[in-house]
Amino acid sequence: MDITTQIIWLFILAIPIACISWTVTHEEIFKEPREWCVNHSKNDRFLLSRKVFYLFTCEYCFSHYITIFFLFLCEYKLLLNDWRGYVLAGFSLVFVANAYMSLFALLRQAIKKEKVEIEKIENETDSEKLSS
């Protein structure tokens, strides 16, 4: 692949990695298994067991494993055509995917803040109408 195609692949392949990582570690559909993992990551007797369960609660950690899966699924390499290309691609994909997740988190936070502000304005407007 030429470098332009590799960069395009980098930014596109990071999208499903970010999507899967975010969904598993944040969204309601995985709430119960995530809470179970959180409980085990805090309370298990063995250090290794606590660390394994923690991997399913942290989007950054989990994105590494999703990235490894996608690297082998797509055979994506970055810059070099041997094992070093996989290493470079792996860390690059994790970086881009986590940048996407950070932007998504900021966007969700801004939307929630806006909803709260709108609700507050509506409540104030309703109160003024009632008092008039």
Side-chain angles (χ1 to χ4, degrees):
M1 269 192 278
D2 67 329
I3 189 69
T4 306
T5 306
Q6 289 180 16
I7 298 299
I8 291 170
W9 266 81
L10 173 66
F11 284 96
I12 292 175
L13 197 53
I15 294 170
I17 293 168
C19 183
I20 293 168
S21 298
W22 183 271
T23 301
V24 170
T25 60
H26 286 83
E27 295 303 328
E28 190 69 24
I29 193 161
F30 289 102
K31 180 181 179 183
E32 290 80 10
R34 186 175 49 253
E35 287 174 350
W36 184 76
C37 288
V38 167
N39 181 44
H40 282 277
S41 73
K42 291 180 180 178
N43 300 319
D44 270 10
R45 183 176 171 185
F46 300 105
L47 177 67
L48 181 60
S49 176
R50 289 193 308 266
K51 298 305 176 190
V52 167
F53 283 108
Y54 181 75
L55 296 176
F56 297 99
T57 65
C58 167
E59 73 269 7
Y60 177 74
C61 302
F62 193 63
S63 69
H64 284 78
Y65 294 94
I66 301 301
T67 297
I68 291 169
F69 171 77
F70 274 94
L71 281 175
F72 290 109
L73 177 71
C74 300
E75 297 180 3
Y76 174 66
K77 298 175 196 151
L78 186 62
L79 300 179
L80 304 168
N81 209 17
D82 57 7
W83 65 269
R84 297 173 299 170
Y86 281 121
V87 173
L88 290 171
F91 286 111
S92 299
L93 284 167
V94 167
F95 178 83
V96 174
N98 279 281
Y100 287 164
M101 287 187 280
S102 295
L103 290 171
F104 183 68
L106 287 172
L107 179 63
R108 283 180 60 142
Q109 185 179 27
I111 290 170
K112 283 182 183 181
K113 180 182 175 188
E114 197 170 298
K115 284 182 181 179
V116 168
E117 289 172 352
I118 289 170
E119 190 175 303
K120 182 180 175 185
I121 292 169
E122 287 175 348
N123 288 338
E124 289 172 359
T125 305
D126 291 343
S127 296
E128 288 175 7
K129 285 181 183 178
L130 291 174
S131 65
S132 299

